[in-house]
Amino acid sequence: MYNLIDGKKVSEHVREEIKEQVTELLKNGKETGLAVIIVGNDPASRVYVNNKKKGCEQVGIKSYEYALPEETTTEQLLSLIETLNSDSKVDGILCQLPLPSHIDENTAINAISPDKDVDAFHPINTGHIMIGDHSFLPCTPAGIMEMLKYYDISADGKECVVIGRSNIVGKPMAMLLLGANGTVTVCHSRTKNLSEVTRRADILVSAVGRANFVTADMVKDGAVVIDVGMNRNGSGKLCGDVDFENVKEKCSYITPVPGGVGPMTITMLLKNTLTASKNHLN
Ligand code: GUN
């Protein structure tokens, strides 16, 4: 019998705490602000940005949207980021990825002041994550750790396997599980005998981006399975990386898609923005 990890429920719980603290700051005269930059017309990015703005509204964070046209140059984007870096109303700056191909993403990320980098993508912040003395944690892995904590699932001494090695999810996820005393293996497209490795996992995190990639034969009995995937199946339905119907019966805990990791990602962005605001107060 498996337990469903309800990302919406955990998210609501954490957002209540954030709202209380944002309100408290406001009582002390400190408004909390997030600048959201979107370049071009990517429909998925538009949905994500709208959800981030809604999240801000829900907890009392003021959001400032900068929607720039597709043909924006790197220089124009850097100039906006520079302005926002020195704007005291703005505690956090989020530049929605992907950027149009003529803009170098690393150049944009590196231009954001590390104390306003609420995505935790800047090399200074990724370095802090590696050492374990971070201010900001990358939103998706942090959301997963928060869900594990809520359900009292400890990584201490456990075999943790992460599939995917992206800078946004796979690599920082491995660092956070390691920080929680897990024994961590990171798998990727060149990993040999993948299912042999994944079958060792007490906690299995999949961040691949392919529907039905994780099948029942890859999962150990009683495993905790966390699905970061956001894919469309053949009939256009939103689904994760995990073959949920067949995998769930083997799990002690599993996240659904939608309603698992997704809601937590935005919640952690709000939490990072709150942290930035508190830091700017001092
Ligand atoms: N695009 C996909 N995920 C993210 C994210 O977490 N942050 C930003 N800025 N862009 C993204």
Side-chain angles (χ1 to χ4, degrees), residues 48 52 94-98 119 121 168 265:
Y48 290 136
K52 287 169 184 181
L94 176 136
C95 184
Q96 186 64 30
L97 305 179
D119 264 323
F121 290 167
I168 295 184
T265 297

Side-chain angles (χ1 to χ4, degrees), residues 17 23 37 40 45 69 94 107 125 135 163 173 183 199 226 229 232 239 254 265 269 282:
E17 289 177 353
T23 309
I37 304 171
S45 288
L94 176 136
T107 306
N125 286 321
S135 267
I163 319 176
M173 186 75 250
T183 301
R199 270 200 300 273
I226 308 290
R232 299 271 166 194
C239 63
I254 184 167
T265 297
L269 169 74
N282 298 328

Side-chain angles (χ1 to χ4, degrees), residues 14-33:
V14 178
R15 284 188 198 197
E16 273 310 310
E17 289 177 353
I18 295 170
K19 187 176 179 175
E20 275 170 29
Q21 294 184 49
V22 168
T23 309
E24 199 54 41
L25 282 171
L26 200 54
K27 278 188 199 151
N28 293 312
K30 174 75 183 91
E31 196 170 59
T32 300

Side-chain angles (χ1 to χ4, degrees), residues 1 26 38 68 102 119 148 160 184 192 216 222 231 237 240 244 275:
M1 182 56 193
L26 200 54
I38 176 169
L68 306 180
H102 64 274
D119 264 323
L148 294 179
C160 304
V184 183
K192 302 242 181 340
N231 314 302
K237 191 169 160 258
F244 184 85
T275 301

